[in-house]
Amino acid sequence: MFNMHMKSVIFCFLWYGSIFYGFFLLYCPLMPLALLNPPLFHKLTDFIFASWETYSSALIEIICDVRFIIEGDFVRLQEHSLIVMNHRTRVDWLFFWALLQHRGVPLATRCKFVLKSLVKHIPALGWVMQMSRFLYIKRSWNEDQILLEGLLHLLSRDNNNMQVLLFPEGTDLTLNNIKKSEAFAQRNGLSSYRHVLHPRTTGFVFLVQKMRELGMLDAVYDVTIGYPDKIPQSEADCLRGNMPKFVHFLVKRYDQDAVPVKEEGLSQWCKDLWTKKENTLDKFYLTGRFDGLGTEISTKEHRAEPILNHFYISFLFWTSFVTLSLNLCLTLEFCRLWITSHTFFFICISFLTQGFEQLEVAYHYYQLKLKQS
């Protein structure tokens, strides 16, 4: 137990350290390009973030010894797609990056998450995601649809394939949230769920329709995540060493032609996905596998995905980067001033504006007006 706790402390230090120094020493120097050459700015920030995603997955598998068992379809990263996933814990997204590494074809990724606006205020992490054009929402649909539409227009300008990850449940599976979902089900005559929450379909419908309108939707992926042993419900669990031995994924790809067009049909289609997901997870927690075959099969009998070779390269590079960056900050006053000044700048950006990504959207619309005039 002590050994696992120490591994988790090392994991958290390297994981957050790579974000912290990556933001200040790799992202911040690129900021002028957001004005001078936005397409190049997007390519470089996407490249850095994709490289870091590999490191995040490498830390999970090399340091924490978590193994992934993935069934179903490959995620075709050369196409535009919307990915929907159940939100079992607050850290599902941490393991989702490993799914893209193991099941993504090709390996490079441009996946943007739909996140609560509070995340954008997390030092370094939230700021990196702002500069990487993640989609932040406020839970006020009148505002959110404007924010989402503007950012999708910005992302469509690059003409690069990308994925959007949405958690339709809106929050993770806790006892309190289960009670709220159950109350909602009773008021609306819906079935009771144990393993998922009833999805909120407004955002899903909007994203499908808007991505279609912009020519950004080739497929919808339904991803189901399951934890057969330990369940890290929050970031604190990861720090305490409560990491699972195995994480299971089931991936189902739907071509965009198989997805309804109209609002009512899309809403029902999403609800039907979640009914299937509830039944799938019910079998999963009985059998220990997603295909539902056999009874009480140990996860040790499943063939886990091997650690990818490029994980070791990423591990060496980013760990060396964190070590070197820490040394620079301890020895160079300029480095400390750089971090302090940019910290102040991004606190102002996060609290006084809609965020760096929305400033980019405003600049994008300004450029379009100049071209039209």
Side-chain angles (χ1 to χ4, degrees):
M1 181 65 185
F2 176 76
N3 186 41
M4 188 60 213
H5 180 69
M6 285 303 299
K7 285 183 177 181
S8 297
V9 171
I10 293 171
F11 162 76
C12 291
F13 171 77
L14 291 175
W15 188 84
Y16 187 74
S18 62
I19 296 171
F20 183 87
Y21 292 116
F23 170 71
F24 288 109
L25 302 183
L26 298 179
Y27 267 68
C28 287
L30 297 177
M31 269 196 288
L33 287 176
L35 291 174
L36 301 175
N37 193 335
L40 179 59
F41 174 75
H42 295 171
K43 287 181 181 179
L44 292 175
T45 51
D46 283 341
F47 175 79
I48 295 171
F49 199 90
S51 171
W52 178 83
E53 286 176 346
T54 303
Y55 183 59
S56 176
S57 302
L59 286 175
I60 291 172
E61 299 194 42
I62 295 172
I63 299 292
C64 298
D65 198 30
V66 177
R67 291 294 177 267
F68 294 89
I69 299 169
I70 306 169
E71 301 175 61
D73 297 323
F74 282 83
V75 180
R76 305 176 191 176
L77 300 178
Q78 72 272 26
E79 64 185 9
H80 290 295
S81 60
L82 175 64
I83 303 173
V84 292
M85 190 169 93
N86 61 305
H87 207 354
R88 177 61 187 85
T89 80
R90 280 177 49 173
V91 293
D92 292 325
W93 46 270
L94 188 63
F95 304 108
F96 173 79
W97 279 316
L99 166 67
L100 292 183
Q101 294 293 322
H102 285 288
R103 279 295 219 206
V105 182
L107 287 176
T109 64
R110 291 186 73 246
C111 187
K112 313 300 181 184
F113 296 2
V114 179
L115 301 166
K116 298 175 184 176
S117 60
L118 288 176
V119 176
K120 74 167 55 179
H121 301 305
I122 299 176
L125 175 62
W127 304 340
V128 162
M129 290 178 171
Q130 286 183 45
M131 292 183 70
S132 296
R133 295 159 303 285
F134 279 45
L135 295 87
Y136 287 105
I137 56 175
K138 297 182 175 182
R139 295 290 186 83
S140 170
W141 184 239
N142 289 334
E143 292 183 76
D144 288 343
Q145 60 182 330
I146 297 173
L147 297 176
L148 291 174
E149 182 174 2
L151 201 46
L152 287 174
H153 272 285
L154 176 67
L155 292 169
S156 69
R157 182 186 67 173
D158 293 337
N159 295 318
N160 292 323
N161 297 320
M162 56 160 281
Q163 302 76 44
V164 175
L165 173 66
L166 173 70
F167 295 104
E169 293 159 292
T171 188
D172 57 324
L173 192 75
T174 63
L175 289 176
N176 187 48
N177 289 330
I178 290 174
K179 291 178 181 178
K180 292 179 181 178
S181 183
E182 175 65 17
F184 173 82
Q186 291 179 356
R187 289 196 305 269
N188 294 275
L190 302 173
S191 301
S192 296
Y193 291 157
R194 292 191 302 158
H195 306 294
V196 296
L197 305 174
H198 282 278
R200 304 174 184 183
T201 61
T202 303
F204 171 78
V205 171
F206 177 83
L207 284 172
V208 170
Q209 292 183 331
K210 185 55 64 174
M211 289 175 73
R212 267 184 172 147
E213 178 186 320
L214 296 171
M216 298 173 64
L217 188 70
D218 298 310
V220 174
Y221 287 85
D222 175 32
V223 175
T224 304
I225 187 171
Y227 302 88
D229 43 61
K230 295 180 181 178
I231 301 177
Q233 194 64 45
S234 67
E235 297 82 358
D237 284 334
C238 295
L239 182 60
R240 288 192 290 262
N242 187 36
M243 295 288 274
K245 294 180 180 179
F246 296 92
V247 177
H248 289 239
F249 284 104
L250 178 63
V251 184
K252 174 65 177 175
R253 179 186 182 277
Y254 295 91
D255 190 87
Q256 69 96 10
D257 292 334
V259 181
V261 175
K262 295 184 178 180
E263 180 177 343
E264 184 176 344
L266 279 169
S267 179
Q268 188 58 49
W269 191 80
C270 182
K271 292 175 183 177
D272 291 342
L273 278 187
W274 251 248
T275 299
K276 293 177 184 177
K277 201 180 292 287
E278 169 70 16
N279 295 332
T280 298
L281 285 167
D282 198 42
K283 293 177 182 178
F284 170 79
Y285 286 110
L286 287 174
T287 65
R289 59 192 303 172
F290 269 125
D291 57 16
L293 299 176
T295 56
E296 211 59 43
I297 298 174
S298 170
T299 54
K300 293 182 180 179
E301 297 177 19
H302 296 186
R303 184 167 60 182
E305 298 284 339
I307 297 177
L308 300 171
N309 290 333
H310 68 278
F311 277 18
Y312 294 104
I313 299 173
S314 180
F315 180 82
L316 289 173
F317 169 78
W318 279 96
T319 302
S320 299
F321 171 75
V322 171
T323 305
L324 177 61
S325 299
L326 177 60
N327 183 60
L328 286 174
C329 291
L330 291 175
T331 56
L332 296 179
E333 185 175 356
F334 173 78
C335 188
R336 295 192 293 272
L337 289 173
W338 176 272
I339 290 175
T340 302
S341 61
H342 283 83
T343 296
F344 177 77
F345 176 76
F346 259 86
I347 288 175
C348 293
I349 288 286
S350 298
F351 285 96
L352 300 180
T353 76
Q354 299 277 19
F356 190 91
E357 78 286 1
Q358 291 301 326
L359 291 178
E360 274 206 82
V361 170
Y363 183 61
H364 168 59
Y365 284 141
Y366 172 72
Q367 287 183 312
L368 289 178
K369 287 182 179 179
L370 287 181
K371 290 179 181 180
Q372 293 170 0
S373 61

